[in-house]
Amino acid sequence: TGVATMKFKSPPVNSLSLDFLTEFCISLEKLENNRACRGVIFTSAVPKIFSSGLDITEMCGKSTEHYAEFWRAVQEMWLQLYGSNMVTVAAVNGSSPAGGCLLALSCDYRIMVENPKFSIGLNEAQLGIVAPFWFKDTFVNVVGHRVAERSLQLGSLHAAPEALRFGLVDELVAEEKLQEKAAAVMAQWLALPDHARQLTKSMMRKAVLDRLVAHREEDIQNFISFVSKESIQKSLRMYMEMLKKKK
């Protein structure tokens, strides 16, 4: 049908580890290079979670070389997805904090399961981390400046109904209707000539993509110096301990 479905399956919570990000980029590039593929639907094969975001273990107690490699992979994931020529639909079938939210934000259209227990948002501030400028830019482009500013400062996670109200997701559907709805939306987008849609998408997103490309190394160095701080390492360790206790 010219439409691929990419399912995330990295239990327990589809966290964006270096391995996951590498696999994601390879898979996306293969689809991008396949002339027969015009669109891709992203969803999760893990119940109740779309993606929990960046893997904290990749940012804790590792070498500066590792931090650089990890952060470059995060950048690559976003550059490929946000700049994709294909139609990208996020079928969000579970909670999607932080990097998981970024994944969804980078798509052309977001459909979320209508379940108030599922939430989505860039909640980095809660962990004492600052969302980088390109996370922020992507967020502002979806929800507008005011909602983004408040949400980022508070590290808010928005329950599905609130996410819809803010325009963070485009629509809510019952879980059993999610795939059907994603396919219907995809068909609507693919009904247009590809070149017109692709050029329009590029025009809308180019400035944001170019900004990261121009400052890529600087952004990596900023991440390394930030994450290497003892205070940040301490708060990440505390967060990991808290997660262990929750289990």
Side-chain angles (χ1 to χ4, degrees):
T1 60
V3 179
T5 298
M6 197 190 287
K7 285 187 177 172
F8 308 146
K9 192 175 185 184
S10 181
V13 288
N14 290 337
S15 52
L16 307 179
S17 64
L18 186 55
D19 287 348
F20 184 103
L21 291 163
T22 306
E23 196 67 35
F24 179 90
C25 289
I26 291 168
S27 302
L28 195 58
E29 198 167 356
K30 276 184 190 161
L31 295 174
E32 202 78 57
N33 293 332
N34 180 349
R35 296 295 294 270
C37 186
R38 297 174 64 211
V40 57
I41 295 166
F42 299 95
T43 195
S44 168
V46 176
K48 298 183 186 155
I49 190 93
F50 181 67
S51 166
S52 67
L54 301 184
D55 189 336
I56 304 282
T57 61
E58 301 279 13
M59 306 193 289
C60 207
K62 300 281 199 295
S63 67
T64 52
E65 291 77 20
H66 183 87
Y67 296 147
E69 189 187 4
F70 175 63
W71 198 246
R72 190 170 273 111
V74 179
Q75 291 176 334
E76 194 55 43
M77 177 270 293
W78 178 77
L79 288 167
Q80 278 194 33
L81 182 56
Y82 200 62
S84 175
N85 271 323
M86 298 180 289
V87 174
T88 53
V89 173
V92 184
N93 52 342
S95 287
S96 198
C101 176
L102 181 75
L103 254 173
L105 286 171
S106 304
C107 292
D108 295 312
Y109 200 85
R110 285 159 291 286
I111 307 160
M112 192 168 181
V113 167
E114 194 165 2
N115 184 336
K117 286 186 179 151
F118 295 162
S119 60
I120 185 169
L122 294 177
N123 62 324
E124 282 79 355
Q126 285 190 35
L127 315 183
I129 305 172
V130 179
F133 70 86
W134 41 285
F135 281 53
K136 181 268 297 175
D137 289 345
T138 313
F139 199 32
V140 168
N141 286 350
V142 171
V143 299
H145 199 280
R146 177 63 191 133
V147 170
E149 183 179 40
R150 188 178 60 204
S151 189
L152 283 169
Q153 286 195 53
L154 293 172
S156 306
L157 283 173
H158 305 286
E162 189 178 42
L164 178 67
R165 202 170 74 240
F166 287 151
L168 183 50
V169 296
D170 296 297
E171 54 186 305
L172 301 180
V173 295
E175 188 144 19
E176 63 276 10
K177 296 263 175 70
L178 183 65
Q179 290 309 316
E180 184 189 323
K181 186 69 201 179
V185 166
M186 182 62 80
Q188 185 190 356
W189 283 63
L190 291 180
L192 281 87
D194 281 343
H195 68 279
R197 183 192 51 74
Q198 287 165 354
L199 287 168
T200 305
K201 181 174 180 174
S202 172
M203 178 174 66
M204 296 297 293
R205 298 188 172 196
K206 190 174 184 302
V208 179
L209 287 159
D210 286 352
R211 195 172 159 206
L212 177 59
V213 172
H215 299 283
R216 201 164 175 184
E217 291 309 314
E218 189 189 329
D219 183 59
I220 291 169
Q221 291 312 314
N222 285 346
F223 173 74
I224 293 169
S225 65
F226 184 77
V227 85
S228 302
K229 285 190 179 116
E230 187 42 46
S231 59
I232 299 301
Q233 286 292 310
K234 191 178 169 186
S235 69
L236 290 174
R237 283 194 299 269
M238 281 165 63
Y239 185 68
M240 279 161 67
E241 282 304 315
M242 186 187 83
L243 290 179
K244 277 180 196 159
K245 281 176 188 154
K246 270 189 181 174
K247 280 176 193 168

